[in-house]
Amino acid sequence: MSEIVITGGNRLCGELSVQGAKNSVLPVLAATVLCNGECVIHNCPKLSDVDTSLKILSHLGCRCKNENGTVITDGTSACNYDIPDTLMREMRSSVVFLGAMIGRTGRAVISSPGGCELGPRPIDLHLSSLEKMGVTVCEEHGYLNCIAEDGLKGAEITLNFPSVGATENIILAAVTAEGDTVIHGAAKEPEISDLADFLNRAGARINGCGSDTVRIQGVKSLNGTEHTIIPDRIVAATYMACAAITGGELILKNAMPPHMASVLWLFKETGCRVNISGKSIKIKAPSRLCRVPTVRSLVYPGFPTDAGPIATALLSKADGTSVFVENIFENRFRYVDELKRFGAKIKTEGKIAVIEGVDRLSAADCKSTDLRGGAAIVIAALAAVGESRIGEIHHIERGYDDITGNLAALGAQVKKE
Ligand code: EPZ
C-alpha cells in the first residue's frame, strides 16, 4: 500500500491555488442526472471521490468524461436507478444521488450507507423528508428500495437538525417535483448554495439557500448548463495549518474568504498574521503559536467540524493548553491516537479534546484514520523532527488533490512511496 513519507522541519513558504470543493462537486455531479443536456463543470478536483461519482453517473446511463478537471456529462439518457454496492462502499456520500435518481426515474435502490470512520451516520432525515414528498422506502437485506409511485410532490419539511446531505437530497428531489417545497431548518453551508446556483442555472427555481428556509418551485425539466465549483474551504484551512505549524508563510489564491470567517478567526487567535485581498489569503506564522482556550465545531457559519482535526493538529504545538469541542459527529477523534505518536499531548473525553501544546513533535509511523484525520497527521508530520511514514493514504486522496505535489512545491520534504 502507498505511503506518504515526510521529513519534517522545513518552513513551508510560497503560493498555492485552492482546489475545487469536494463537498460541492459531489452533489453537483449528482444533480447533472436531472439535466436534459450537456453540463460542463469546471474546477473539479482530481479526487478518488470524483472518480467514484463519475463511475456512478456512467452506471446510471449518463455520458460523462473528465477533461483535466472539467467534467462534461449529460443526464438525458439516465435510466438506471441503482448504485452498485461496490460503489456505495467506495464512497459513503453516494447517498446524495438518492434525490436525483428518484427525480429522474421515480425510483432508487441503494445499499444502506451505514456508519463510517466518524461514527454512525444515519440518513433518517433524508428518508423521512423524501417520504413526505411521496416516496415509499422499504429496507430489506441491507438495501433501501425507494419508489415515488405517483411521482415526487412538493412538501413543507422541517429538519430537526440542519443536515447538509439531507438538505441537498431534498433540494434534488424537489427541483422537478410537482408543486412547491419549503425546507425549514435547512443547512446553510456554502456548498449547498453552490448546488443551488448550478441548479438555478439549469432552470430550477430555488430561493433562500444560505438561510434557514429554502423554497423550491418544482419545474418540468432542467437543461444542461455550465458551472464552476467553489473553492474548498477545508482544503484551504489545511494548507494554512501546514504553513502555520512550520513557521512558514503562504499565499492562497482562488480562495473564498467569506466562506472561511470562523477558520480565519482561529488562525488569528493562534497569533498568525492573516491578510485578505479579494480571493487571496496571506498567512504568516508567529515564532510560536498561541493556544486558543476553546474551539467548538458548529453548523455553518460556525467553526466547521471538518476543520476540527486540522485545528487539533495545529494547536498540538501551541504555547499552552487549548480545548476543542466536537458538536457534530459522535466519534471524530480517532486520529488523536495517531497524533500522540508524534508526542502530542492530547486527552479526549467524549466530545472534548484537551490539547496541551508541546514545543517539539518527533517523527512517527502512523496510519490515516479518515479523510480529515489523515490531513491532521500530515500537518503534524510536517512539524515533526525526523522522517514520518503515513499509511492508509487513500483516505487523504479522497479529498486532497495532489497533496504531496502541493506540499513539495511549498518546500516540504515529502514523497509518495
Ligand atoms: C457533509 O456530511 C459533509 N460531506 C461532511 O464532510 C461534513 O463533515 C458534514 O456535512 C457536516 O458539515 C459531504 O458533503 C460529502 P450531515 P453529511 O448530514 O451530509 C447527523 C468531509 O470531511 N445526521 O450534516 O453526512 C449525522 O449523523 C466530510 O469532507 C442524522 O442524524 O453531514 C451527523 O452527526 C466528513 N440523520 C450530523 O447529523 C441524518 O439523516 C451531521 O450530518 C443525517 C445526518
Side-chain angles (χ1 to χ4, degrees), residues 22-23 26 92-93 118 120-126 161-166 189 305-306 328-329 332 371-372:
K22 168 181 85 81
N23 293 349
L26 299 184
R92 183 197 174 284
S93 36
L118 309 182
R121 292 232 347 242
I123 58 168
D124 55 310
L125 297 174
H126 300 237
F161 177 86
S163 156
V164 171
E189 275 68 2
T305 173
D306 295 346
I328 305 295
F329 286 105
R332 191 153 202 175
L371 169 54
R372 308 302 173 183

Side-chain angles (χ1 to χ4, degrees), residues 244-245 267 270-272 285-291 314-315 317-320:
I245 202 169
F267 284 104
T270 62
C272 293
S287 51
R288 179 80 195 270
L289 294 164
C290 308
R291 70 157 194 149
L314 180 69
L315 294 168
K317 262 204 83 189
D319 183 8

Side-chain angles (χ1 to χ4, degrees), residues 19 31 90 97 144 159 191 204 229 234 243 283 304 306 364 376 394 410:
Q19 72 180 58
E90 254 182 61
F97 278 86
L144 293 171
L159 291 173
E191 292 77 23
I229 298 293
I234 308 302
I283 182 169
D306 295 346
H394 62 277
L410 295 174

Side-chain angles (χ1 to χ4, degrees), residues 27-74:
V28 166
L29 289 177
T32 63
V33 169
L34 294 163
C35 297
N36 293 317
E38 184 173 86
C39 294
V40 181
I41 316 295
H42 301 289
N43 200 30
C44 295
K46 291 180 205 54
L47 305 172
S48 53
D49 273 7
V50 170
D51 297 341
T52 304
S53 297
L54 296 182
K55 289 180 202 167
I56 292 172
L57 287 175
S58 300
H59 175 82
L60 296 178
C62 303
R63 291 195 317 279
C64 61
K65 58 187 173 186
N66 189 347
E67 289 181 350
N68 195 26
T70 292
V71 167
I72 299 161
T73 178
D74 186 333

Side-chain angles (χ1 to χ4, degrees), residues 183-249:
I183 310 171
H184 299 290
K188 307 178 201 172
E189 275 68 2
E191 292 77 23
I192 293 173
S193 300
D194 201 31
L195 172 64
D197 290 348
F198 165 78
L199 286 164
N200 283 338
R201 215 170 273 140
R205 291 205 193 124
I206 307 166
N207 290 293
C209 276
S211 77
D212 294 305
T213 306
V214 176
R215 296 177 191 283
I216 305 114
Q217 283 176 271
V219 295
K220 276 268 167 281
S221 67
L222 298 180
N223 43 273
T225 188
E226 196 152 1
H227 184 74
T228 298
I229 298 293
I230 57 170
D232 193 310
R233 57 198 169 101
I234 308 302
V235 168
T238 305
Y239 286 113
M240 289 176 73
C242 294
I245 202 169
T246 57
E249 196 168 333

Side-chain angles (χ1 to χ4, degrees), residues 14-350:
E15 226 174 80
L16 184 69
S17 187
V18 180
Q19 72 180 58
K22 168 181 85 81
N23 293 349
S24 174
V25 70
L26 299 184
V28 166
L29 289 177
T32 63
V33 169
L34 294 163
C35 297
N36 293 317
E38 184 173 86
C39 294
V40 181
I41 316 295
H42 301 289
N43 200 30
C44 295
K46 291 180 205 54
L47 305 172
S48 53
D49 273 7
V50 170
D51 297 341
T52 304
S53 297
L54 296 182
K55 289 180 202 167
I56 292 172
L57 287 175
S58 300
H59 175 82
L60 296 178
C62 303
R63 291 195 317 279
C64 61
K65 58 187 173 186
N66 189 347
E67 289 181 350
N68 195 26
T70 292
V71 167
I72 299 161
T73 178
D74 186 333
T76 309
S77 46
C79 54
N80 281 342
Y81 52 78
D82 70 313
I83 296 182
D85 198 31
T86 48
L87 294 180
M88 275 303 291
R89 289 178 191 281
E90 254 182 61
M91 187 178 78
R92 183 197 174 284
S93 36
S94 312
V95 74
V96 79
F97 278 86
L98 206 49
M101 288 193 290
I102 301 172
R104 168 58 83 179
T105 67
R107 290 198 63 179
V109 179
I110 64 168
S111 52
S112 303
C116 74
E117 311 86 5
L118 309 182
R121 292 232 347 242
I123 58 168
D124 55 310
L125 297 174
H126 300 237
L127 301 180
S128 58
S129 301
L130 291 171
E131 284 171 336
K132 289 193 183 73
M133 299 177 72
V135 178
T136 51
V137 180
C138 301
E139 180 154 11
E140 44 202 11
H141 312 302
Y143 282 88
L144 293 171
N145 198 333
C146 306
I147 303 178
E149 294 284 358
D150 305 321
L152 285 160
K153 309 278 188 246
E156 184 147 12
I157 295 166
T158 298
L159 291 173
N160 62 18
F161 177 86
S163 156
V164 171
T167 302
E168 289 167 345
N169 256 327
I170 298 166
I171 290 172
L172 289 167
V175 283
T176 55
E178 185 192 325
D180 298 349
T181 298
V182 182
I183 310 171
H184 299 290
K188 307 178 201 172
E189 275 68 2
E191 292 77 23
I192 293 173
S193 300
D194 201 31
L195 172 64
D197 290 348
F198 165 78
L199 286 164
N200 283 338
R201 215 170 273 140
R205 291 205 193 124
I206 307 166
N207 290 293
C209 276
S211 77
D212 294 305
T213 306
V214 176
R215 296 177 191 283
I216 305 114
Q217 283 176 271
V219 295
K220 276 268 167 281
S221 67
L222 298 180
N223 43 273
T225 188
E226 196 152 1
H227 184 74
T228 298
I229 298 293
I230 57 170
D232 193 310
R233 57 198 169 101
I234 308 302
V235 168
T238 305
Y239 286 113
M240 289 176 73
C242 294
I245 202 169
T246 57
E249 196 168 333
L250 170 69
I251 296 176
L252 281 179
K253 314 286 280 181
N254 305 319
M256 192 71 89
H259 293 168
M260 299 176 63
S262 56
V263 164
L264 299 179
W265 162 83
L266 174 80
F267 284 104
K268 290 174 190 167
E269 288 294 296
T270 62
C272 293
R273 196 148 22 99
V274 178
N275 296 99
I276 309 293
S277 165
K279 293 188 173 184
S280 291
I281 301 172
K282 182 174 181 180
I283 182 169
K284 184 170 174 20
S287 51
R288 179 80 195 270
L289 294 164
C290 308
R291 70 157 194 149
V292 179
T294 306
V295 188
R296 294 178 183 82
S297 67
L298 293 167
V299 295
Y300 191 86
F303 190 86
T305 173
D306 295 346
I310 312 304
T312 304
L314 180 69
L315 294 168
S316 71
K317 262 204 83 189
D319 183 8
T321 298
S322 310
V323 174
F324 182 79
V325 186
E326 170 55 45
N327 290 310
I328 305 295
F329 286 105
E330 281 180 27
N331 173 23
R332 191 153 202 175
F333 287 135
R334 292 175 61 230
Y335 64 93
V336 167
D337 284 342
E338 299 301 310
L339 290 186
K340 288 177 177 173
R341 291 168 183 267
F342 293 95
K345 287 185 182 166
I346 306 171
K347 286 196 194 70
T348 59
E349 180 74 38

